[in-house]
Amino acid sequence: MKKRIIVSCLLSVLLMACEKQVQKYDDTQVFRYNEKDNITSLDPAFAKNEPNVWACNQLFNGLVVFDDSLNVLPCIAKSWKIENQNKTYQFTLRDDVFFHKNAVFGKDSTRQVTAHDFEYSFRRLMDPKVASSGRWVMQSVKEFKAVNDSVFSIELHQPFPPFLGLLSMQYCSVVPKEAVDFYGADFRSHPIGTGPFSFKMWVENTKLVFRRNPLYFEKDTKGNQLPYLEAVAITFFADKQTEFMHFIQGKSDVLNDLHTSYKDELLSSNGALLPKYHQKIQLDKSPYLITEYIAFYLEGATVENHPDIRKAVQLGFDRAKMLRYLRNNIGQPATGFIPKGLPAYYGDTIDNYQPEKAKQHVENYKKETGDLHPKITISTNSSYTDLFEFVQRELQGIGLQVVLEVLPSPVLRQKKANGKLPSFRVGWIADYPDAENFLSLFYSKNMAPQGPNYAHYSNKDYDKLYEKAMATTNPEKRVEIYKKMDRIILEDVPVVPLFYDEIIRFKHQNVKGLTTNPTNLLNLKKVYKTPKK
């Protein structure tokens, strides 16, 4: 009992310290947001999910970065050249980038970033002892080295056109060896980077505070040093109603999600912000590079594996109706597998709702197999139950019975990776904005559990096109190859695309400079707040 009281007192002291760090500034100098899912690490080597990525993006930088239009821009690398038949990348670094101030750097408390820091950071990313979740990013890399302090060179095994985009990921951020050596495994909670904000304090699952980095190297178009904000404060309310109320009460600046428990409080049935909030809140919507889909496991003689059944599912339910009634028109009905927002998307011309044709596929299956009451099982998690109950009702109308299996998310992930489910729901979010990121899911050499080909799909023509695309450096020609690959997936139906998601972000009217992008990356370096009216 005494031990519990001591721990509780220590937690209270830490929370008070956190609040003092934030309260010393007025409200317009602090950006507040809630992270309903836990942040597990502030080490960019473990930036494997959105909560970790968002936090690390405030603390760290890499060689390059994407803008909101998905163009690759310089970051710590001020320029680069690509040589040796598109296999060698040579980056020239800026000379004004310094690590966050910390005692690990000795009397000067900081030092300049050099190419040797990137060599160390990349070797650390590949180190099996570190066991980074981002080690896969380097699988196309043959070698890399610091040519000198200001030049960093990377050589690939073979050309890989999306490679520059990969380098924009937080996994590829630069970290200082001194700090990693000093903190060891605790670097996850004592991060030192070069980003617009530096780490101040973290009470896990309770509060996280970042402070403005006065050494940050980027400036705005008028020459003003970034960032504008003095601090970032993150809370961790897991309850969605609590998160919603904090936002409505003005205790957080943004609401980054739309949950069924409060969607009708904010949005009309067609997805517009309700008039009563027009003076207080702004709604931002933009395409999100994510495809939600049903995958079929294509090994074994199951009902789900029959081509006519897969095609019946593909054509047998109204995606637009599903989104209208269950998601307030948030998202877009999926046609191809490549989502809207990427150049290779072409799905506006495709009709994936043809119920009469779907019924004919079911009849074809019955005649061929003698199974007069076909039944399939689709596995999902509880967050998608309402959507799949809709799909279930729609497919019953074409003569196909559907059993829904609702599993905990960890169980669903494990079983789909190990081929234990005949059909299941998957959501694929782009790690980098290139259609290859989606089409690699069907390359035969990427079969699960070693890769993301959960369907165990194999098609020689598709594989040849994939390899051809990877050898094609001309973006326009590569896009045409991607479109052919997407059409093959539509014809073979190893998966049934459901919808392309949209980014939904609610923010208070006094929040300025907060933009959206198709990867849903949170960028705070140009954000500022005006006094509330």
Side-chain angles (χ1 to χ4, degrees), residues 308-521:
D308 276 305
I309 294 297
R310 301 201 307 269
K311 290 175 182 177
V313 175
Q314 181 185 52
L315 300 172
F317 63 99
D318 189 341
R319 293 159 176 80
K321 184 178 177 182
M322 177 180 72
L323 294 177
R324 184 166 60 252
Y325 290 115
L326 298 177
R327 287 178 57 87
N328 294 60
N329 268 347
I330 303 303
Q332 180 173 330
T335 46
F337 194 76
I338 299 171
K340 196 165 189 175
L342 288 175
Y345 169 80
Y346 74 104
D348 286 333
T349 60
I350 298 170
D351 180 10
N352 263 349
Y353 180 51
Q354 301 180 49
E356 293 305 316
K357 194 172 181 179
K359 289 179 182 178
Q360 188 58 53
H361 281 298
V362 174
E363 290 303 314
N364 292 345
Y365 168 83
K366 291 179 180 179
K367 290 177 182 178
E368 180 183 329
T369 65
D371 179 5
L372 300 182
H373 304 285
K375 181 168 63 175
I376 64 172
T377 299
I378 302 177
S379 302
T380 184
N381 60 24
S382 58
S383 297
Y384 291 81
T385 303
D386 58 342
L387 296 180
F388 279 95
E389 286 176 345
F390 173 88
V391 173
Q392 182 184 46
R393 290 191 298 270
E394 291 270 291
L395 295 182
Q396 284 175 349
I398 65 167
L400 182 60
Q401 298 299 308
V402 177
V403 175
L404 294 185
E405 181 182 41
V406 181
L407 300 172
S409 293
V411 176
L412 182 66
R413 285 195 295 269
Q414 183 181 24
K415 286 193 171 185
K416 76 181 181 184
N418 294 320
K420 302 295 184 181
L421 302 172
S423 65
F424 46 91
R425 171 258 158 196
V426 187
W428 189 261
I429 305 175
D431 294 308
Y432 47 93
D434 190 283
E436 185 275 340
N437 198 192
F438 291 87
L439 298 174
S440 65
L441 272 64
F442 307 102
Y443 186 46
S444 64
K445 294 182 181 179
N446 287 340
M447 285 189 183
Q450 285 72 34
N453 186 346
Y454 301 117
H456 278 218
Y457 175 71
S458 180
N459 181 309
K460 291 181 180 179
D461 291 335
Y462 183 93
D463 286 353
K464 288 178 182 177
L465 284 173
Y466 179 86
E467 291 162 3
K468 182 179 179 181
M470 292 305 94
T472 302
T473 56
N474 182 289
E476 290 79 16
K477 291 181 180 179
R478 195 165 68 253
V479 163
E480 290 306 311
I481 298 172
Y482 287 160
K483 289 180 179 179
K484 291 179 183 178
M485 295 167 69
D486 205 8
R487 283 193 285 271
I488 291 175
I489 296 303
L490 279 178
E491 292 167 2
D492 285 358
V493 200
V495 299
V496 169
L498 296 170
F499 63 93
Y500 313 126
D501 211 343
E502 280 185 310
I503 294 166
I504 298 295
R505 182 177 290 165
F506 302 91
K507 63 187 179 186
H508 291 288
Q509 290 284 5
N510 70 321
V511 175
K512 310 296 182 181
L514 182 63
T515 59
T516 58
N517 54 76
T519 60
N520 200 27
L521 184 64

Side-chain angles (χ1 to χ4, degrees), residues 147-370:
V147 178
N148 51 46
D149 283 354
S150 60
V151 177
F152 183 60
S153 178
I154 303 175
E155 184 178 351
L156 307 184
H157 291 288
Q158 57 192 24
F160 184 61
F163 183 67
L164 270 179
L166 279 176
L167 293 178
S168 72
M169 297 179 69
Q170 275 62 45
Y171 288 133
C172 300
S173 301
V174 67
V175 298
K177 185 177 187 299
E178 300 96 318
V180 176
D181 286 348
F182 181 81
Y183 289 112
D186 287 336
F187 184 72
R188 65 175 289 278
S189 55
H190 294 82
I192 299 171
T194 61
F197 299 93
S198 60
F199 172 77
K200 189 62 182 179
M201 186 174 291
W202 188 17
V203 180
E204 294 195 40
N205 299 314
T206 305
K207 193 135 190 176
L208 175 61
V209 177
F210 300 150
R211 288 279 304 275
R212 181 178 186 271
N213 173 18
L215 302 177
Y216 193 58
F217 58 92
E218 286 193 273
K219 297 180 180 180
D220 65 17
T221 55
K222 296 181 179 179
N224 299 310
Q225 187 178 10
L226 299 173
Y228 303 130
L229 295 163
E230 287 293 340
V232 176
I234 306 169
T235 52
F236 296 89
F237 299 116
D239 180 72
K240 294 175 175 61
Q241 277 295 326
T242 302
E243 179 185 49
F244 172 69
M245 291 307 301
H246 264 248
F247 172 71
I248 292 298
Q249 293 167 4
K251 295 178 182 178
S252 62
D253 294 303
V254 295
L255 185 64
N256 290 299
D257 200 0
L258 183 68
H259 191 258
T260 54
S261 63
Y262 56 75
K263 67 180 177 68
D264 294 326
E265 168 65 23
L266 291 170
L267 298 180
S268 66
S269 59
N270 65 357
L273 185 67
L274 292 176
K276 66 179 179 178
Y277 289 114
H278 283 179
Q279 300 301 315
K280 297 180 180 180
I281 297 172
Q282 183 176 332
L283 168 62
D284 291 337
K285 294 170 66 176
S286 66
Y288 191 7
L289 296 186
I290 174 171
T291 300
E292 298 281 353
Y293 64 100
I294 300 169
F296 301 100
Y297 187 66
L298 301 182
E299 293 186 9
T302 62
V303 177
E304 293 85 353
N305 191 12
H306 194 282
D308 276 305
I309 294 297
R310 301 201 307 269
K311 290 175 182 177
V313 175
Q314 181 185 52
L315 300 172
F317 63 99
D318 189 341
R319 293 159 176 80
K321 184 178 177 182
M322 177 180 72
L323 294 177
R324 184 166 60 252
Y325 290 115
L326 298 177
R327 287 178 57 87
N328 294 60
N329 268 347
I330 303 303
Q332 180 173 330
T335 46
F337 194 76
I338 299 171
K340 196 165 189 175
L342 288 175
Y345 169 80
Y346 74 104
D348 286 333
T349 60
I350 298 170
D351 180 10
N352 263 349
Y353 180 51
Q354 301 180 49
E356 293 305 316
K357 194 172 181 179
K359 289 179 182 178
Q360 188 58 53
H361 281 298
V362 174
E363 290 303 314
N364 292 345
Y365 168 83
K366 291 179 180 179
K367 290 177 182 178
E368 180 183 329
T369 65

Side-chain angles (χ1 to χ4, degrees), residues 17-159:
C18 278
E19 290 297 330
K20 286 180 180 179
Q21 291 296 330
V22 174
Q23 290 174 359
K24 62 193 286 188
Y25 304 110
D26 68 53
D27 183 67
T28 62
Q29 294 176 302
V30 181
F31 185 87
R32 296 177 171 87
Y33 78 91
N34 183 66
E35 184 51 75
K36 65 182 181 302
D37 298 315
N38 188 27
I39 292 175
T40 57
S41 176
L42 297 174
D43 183 342
F46 300 95
K48 64 180 180 178
N49 54 23
E50 188 171 87
N52 290 16
V53 167
W54 278 15
C56 287
N57 192 50
Q58 318 314 319
L59 301 172
F60 296 93
N61 297 108
L63 292 165
V64 298
V65 67
F66 273 106
D67 67 9
D68 289 341
S69 299
L70 305 183
N71 300 305
V72 180
L73 300 179
C75 192
I76 294 179
K78 64 181 180 181
S79 63
W80 59 85
K81 56 184 178 180
I82 305 173
E83 302 173 319
N84 185 27
Q85 298 178 326
N86 298 292
K87 291 190 292 186
T88 301
Y89 293 69
Q90 188 162 288
F91 299 89
T92 301
L93 308 189
R94 301 175 63 122
D95 60 4
D96 58 350
V97 182
F98 292 83
F99 287 112
H100 298 151
K101 286 192 173 183
N102 193 280
V104 298
F105 298 114
K107 65 177 183 177
D108 295 328
S109 299
T110 186
R111 68 168 176 81
Q112 182 182 338
V113 173
T114 72
H116 300 283
D117 293 309
F118 276 100
E119 182 174 325
Y120 166 75
S121 300
F122 282 24
R123 294 203 185 285
R124 177 174 181 261
L125 186 64
M126 298 176 67
D127 188 347
K129 294 180 181 178
V130 175
S132 167
S133 53
R135 191 179 178 190
W136 63 269
V137 174
M138 307 301 291
Q139 63 187 5
S140 61
V141 175
K142 181 179 180 182
E143 62 179 0
F144 51 84
K145 63 180 179 180
V147 178
N148 51 46
D149 283 354
S150 60
V151 177
F152 183 60
S153 178
I154 303 175
E155 184 178 351
L156 307 184
H157 291 288
Q158 57 192 24

